[in-house]
Amino acid sequence: WTPRACRSARRATGPMARNEEKAQAMLNRFVVAKRDANRVDMTKRPYLASECEDVSHCEVYRGQILKELSKKVSLIQNEGLDEHRVRDLNDAINKLIREKGHWERQIKKLGGADHFRTAPRLFEDDAEEVVPGRGYRYFGAAKKLPGVRELFRKRAPEREKRTRFEMLKGIDADYYGYRDDDDGVLEELERAAEEGSLQQAREDWEARKAARLAAGEPADEEESDGEGDGEDARRAERFQEALPDREAIERAILEKRKREMLAMLGGGDAGGAPKHKEEGSINLVPKSW
């Protein structure tokens, strides 16, 4: 292109803006092409975050992941999507979250910002985990998929069995009623109940007495029980008579010692009993004595 040819082309096409003329210039187009050739292609992320050694490039790739996450999370909120489409979106979102963690870890390793501590927790308000801390999350319509809805259904809390320590922890003197009389209320109630019980017992006794008098029986209940009391007294008297007194016990001990002495001296029979008994002696103790 010669200056004359440029002027001829300008006259043929009409007036042209200055910026557009500079862009169409051969030198400018060469400079732009050379700059684009030397620029690193950032459109495709490396497969491994460890392959990138530039912090700025890592930040660019992390920004790309955030944009894709935002777009997919917005898309999965549509409950009208097919089930397989929702599952694919949820898997892709979890994969991007893991990839974002790899890039943030690589940025921290290269001396960049610590996004684990400073960056806000994105998309966590909408996500739910079956097992907290395991990593896989469900977003939007994925939480209502068949088989997933049952996982998030809250079970009724089970009643925990209390231990013996917990049951005895709240037991004090009031539980056993040791301080029931301190306020004076129980005494008044017992006094009123005692008076009522005595009055009722007195009325019942008078009614039974009137019935016995009408039937011709003794008026007093103790009179009807006199025969039984007499039999008990006679039985007790016989028992007292059968017991040996102090003199009989001493006499029995003395006789036992005599038999032992005679047995040692050879003056008794084989059984150790004496040959002659004292006249008038009464044996009131067992033979084993």
Side-chain angles (χ1 to χ4, degrees), residues 14-170:
M16 183 178 295
R18 181 64 180 167
N19 294 335
E20 188 176 354
E21 290 178 357
K22 291 195 299 182
Q24 292 295 333
M26 181 66 67
L27 179 60
N28 292 337
R29 285 187 291 177
F30 174 76
V31 172
V32 171
K34 186 176 180 181
R35 185 183 58 193
D36 293 340
N38 295 330
R39 181 183 301 174
V40 179
D41 187 11
M42 305 289 293
T43 57
K44 185 177 181 181
R45 293 192 300 271
Y47 182 74
L48 297 176
S50 58
E51 296 178 356
C52 184
E53 300 294 338
D54 192 346
V55 177
S56 60
H57 293 174
C58 294
E59 293 285 356
V60 172
Y61 295 140
R62 179 179 176 274
Q64 293 178 1
I65 294 174
L66 291 177
K67 291 180 181 178
E68 295 179 13
L69 270 174
S70 178
K71 186 184 299 183
K72 292 183 182 296
V73 170
S74 300
L75 184 60
I76 202 174
Q77 303 299 326
N78 185 8
E79 297 183 2
L81 296 175
D82 295 336
E83 180 180 342
H84 67 279
R85 176 62 174 163
V86 173
R87 292 184 184 276
D88 293 342
L89 281 174
N90 197 75
D91 293 340
I93 291 172
N94 281 274
K95 182 179 179 181
L96 288 173
I97 290 176
R98 290 194 300 272
E99 189 175 356
K100 180 174 72 70
H102 296 330
W103 284 108
E104 291 175 351
R105 198 172 294 108
Q106 180 67 11
I107 292 172
K108 182 180 178 180
K109 180 180 178 181
L110 295 176
D114 187 2
H115 295 287
F116 289 105
R117 299 181 59 183
T118 59
R121 300 291 181 178
L122 299 175
F123 318 115
E124 288 192 357
D125 295 338
D126 183 63
E128 291 188 11
E129 294 178 299
V130 177
V131 181
R134 293 295 182 179
Y136 195 86
R137 304 173 183 178
Y138 293 89
F139 297 83
K143 294 183 289 186
K144 300 181 180 180
L145 292 173
V148 179
R149 188 186 301 109
E150 290 77 7
L151 297 176
F152 294 109
R153 185 177 300 167
K154 295 183 179 180
R155 300 179 180 177
E158 297 181 359
R159 184 178 179 182
E160 297 182 358
K161 186 177 181 180
R162 295 191 301 169
T163 61
R164 185 177 182 85
F165 172 75
E166 293 176 349
M167 290 188 290
L168 297 177
K169 185 169 58 176

Side-chain angles (χ1 to χ4, degrees), residues 189-207:
L189 296 176
E190 289 180 349
R191 186 178 298 108
E194 183 179 1
E195 293 177 357
S197 300
L198 290 176
Q199 183 65 25
Q200 183 67 29
R202 190 178 300 109
E203 293 176 358
D204 294 342
W205 181 80
E206 292 178 354

